[in-house]
Amino acid sequence: MQARPEIADLRPYQPGKPASALRRELGLERIVKLGSNEGPRGPFPAAVEALADAAPGLNRYPEGGAELLERLAGRHGLTPDRVAPGNGADGVIANLALAYLRPGDEALMGWPSFVSYRLSAVKMGATPVPVPLRDGSYDLEAMAAAVTAATRIAYVCSPNNPTGGIVSGDALAGFLDAVPERVLVVIDSAYHEYVTDPAHVDAIAAHAGRPNVVVLRTFSKIYGLAGLRIGYGVAPAPVVAELGKVRGPFDVSELAQVAAVASLDDEPELERRRSENEGERRRLESELGARGVKLYPAAANFVCAEVGDGAALAARLEREGVIVRPLAPFGAPACVRVTVGLGDENDAFLTALDRSLQPA
Ligand SMILES: *Cc1c(COP(=O)(O)O)cnc(C)c1O
């Protein structure tokens, strides 16, 4: 059977190596998974409780999601018609492509960056236009210069996955002022809750009033709900309405909804996780620096290290039971991305790294 030619060259998404597979392969008790930027801690306690409470009702389809939309909107001081939920932020990215991209359209993005921007555009027959990063962060001047009459979406990932750098509030405002209103600017803030650098702005508070700005958030990272799949976009009401047309029915599960809502009330837990991550990331940065490893500036829960041959180092670490992400699929074959784990996980990574760096 002939599928659409647009997808002929695509490969199924390659997730980071699963810990269970490596545990079996190596016969090791303990695998340290620092490959997929998940938070190292599980769901918030209130979310675990809400999940248990909701389980017996799962014979029913999810409710309409009104509470979720109200709570998310309230969090940002907006009305519920400004919130587009998704099966992960990735689901929102897919819906944006479905709603806005046609063959011949261009989707602008920094590169290396989150591969979904590229894949979702290709699937629609649109053309991804990659703009090289500057020292690990989006180069918004170069991005503005790359806008053409065909540009429909421009992605800004800050902090950028996989390099970790942010764009400053000033640079972002300048970019938004420079880009024509017919271009939908999608600001991906998947790591927003981790960032402590004062140069970073809350893009929702600063820019959600603009008619062409969508800001993405997720529960997959600091909230520890990656396995459940829930994220959302904050957008102008007409954009939310368009996304509603292409979203699948019930694509945010009941469990995802109740867990997300329950997570929103625990600010102290959020703050604990943020500060724990910050301390551990700084420690990793200094330990890696002391070993002469070149790092990109990092603002979230991961670091990007230039190591010569990323795939080779990742393979050596894997044999030590530590999973990191080689970045060839992101367009950075010299690099690995290492998620900040708990203290003892980061220790295990450093020990494995020292063994891996020793000449054989
Ligand atoms: C993890 C991540 C997401 C969110 O993914 P989910 O689909 O919500 O799990 C979005 N953008 C970037 C840049 C990410 O790293």
Side-chain angles (χ1 to χ4, degrees):
M1 284 295 285
Q2 184 85 42
R4 291 167 52 235
E6 285 84 359
I7 68 168
D9 294 331
L10 293 180
R11 298 278 165 272
Y13 180 73
Q14 287 288 337
K17 178 112 180 170
S20 55
L22 190 60
R23 193 173 294 123
R24 272 197 309 274
E25 262 171 50
L26 297 178
L28 287 180
E29 192 101 327
R30 181 186 195 216
I31 300 297
V32 174
K33 185 167 190 258
L34 305 176
S36 297
N37 286 356
E38 300 133 331
R41 296 196 178 274
F44 283 20
V48 174
E49 213 171 291
L51 288 168
D53 289 347
L58 289 178
N59 54 314
R60 304 293 175 197
Y61 283 110
E63 304 229 328
E67 187 186 8
L68 176 71
L69 296 187
E70 263 166 42
R71 291 295 312 276
L72 292 175
R75 179 187 199 195
H76 303 295
L78 299 167
T79 48
D81 60 351
R82 303 291 309 281
V83 179
N87 193 244
D90 235 322
V92 183
I93 292 169
N95 289 338
L96 284 163
L98 268 175
Y100 288 96
L101 295 179
R102 304 178 69 193
D105 291 340
E106 292 177 357
L108 200 56
M109 63 201 67
W111 194 249
S113 193
F114 195 49
V115 287
S116 292
Y117 312 149
R118 190 174 67 78
L119 295 178
S120 61
V122 169
K123 286 176 195 169
M124 301 310 298
T127 306
V129 177
V131 176
L133 303 179
R134 194 165 52 193
D135 198 25
S137 294
Y138 268 54
D139 181 347
L140 292 181
E141 283 175 24
M143 288 263 294
V147 170
T148 72
T151 308
R152 287 291 286 152
I153 295 184
Y155 286 98
V156 178
C157 189
S158 174
N160 183 48
N161 181 5
T163 48
I166 58 166
V167 296
S168 73
D170 287 348
L172 183 59
F175 177 70
L176 292 171
D177 289 341
V179 166
E181 261 181 33
R182 62 176 169 76
V183 175
L184 196 59
V185 179
V186 179
I187 302 167
D188 187 340
S189 299
Y191 299 95
H192 170 77
E193 295 86 354
Y194 281 115
V195 183
T196 59
D197 185 334
H200 170 80
V201 294
D202 176 343
I204 297 177
H207 299 299
R210 297 187 187 239
N212 61 330
V213 167
V214 178
V215 182
L216 303 180
R217 295 279 192 94
T218 181
F219 287 88
S220 292
K221 305 284 157 57
I222 205 163
Y223 290 103
L225 291 173
L228 210 44
R229 316 301 305 125
I230 178 164
Y232 63 101
V234 168
V239 173
V240 171
E242 299 299 337
L243 293 172
K245 295 180 191 172
V246 298
R247 185 167 44 244
F250 308 121
D251 75 342
V252 178
S253 77
E254 183 69 17
L255 293 182
Q257 294 187 32
V258 299
V261 166
S263 301
L264 291 174
D265 286 327
D266 199 344
E267 275 298 320
E269 180 64 16
L270 188 69
E271 183 49 44
R272 269 195 296 280
R273 292 181 181 208
R274 177 174 23 242
S275 88
E276 176 180 52
N277 174 74
E278 184 75 11
E280 283 298 316
R281 195 193 69 235
R282 286 173 193 270
R283 186 168 74 88
L284 265 186
E285 289 175 314
S286 87
E287 291 285 346
L288 288 167
R291 289 161 173 81
V293 175
K294 191 201 159 204
L295 294 175
Y296 286 94
N301 66 331
F302 57 95
V303 298
C304 181
E306 214 172 275
V307 295
D309 183 343
L313 179 66
R316 283 199 297 276
L317 288 170
E318 225 173 84
R319 289 197 288 277
E320 304 284 337
V322 176
I323 301 173
V324 302
R325 193 64 162 270
L327 294 184
F330 287 74
C335 298
V336 293
R337 189 192 65 196
V338 184
T339 306
V340 177
L342 300 177
D344 61 327
E345 296 176 311
N346 300 328
D347 287 341
F349 159 69
L350 291 166
T351 303
L353 181 72
D354 288 338
R355 292 161 61 116
S356 300
L357 292 177
Q358 274 164 17

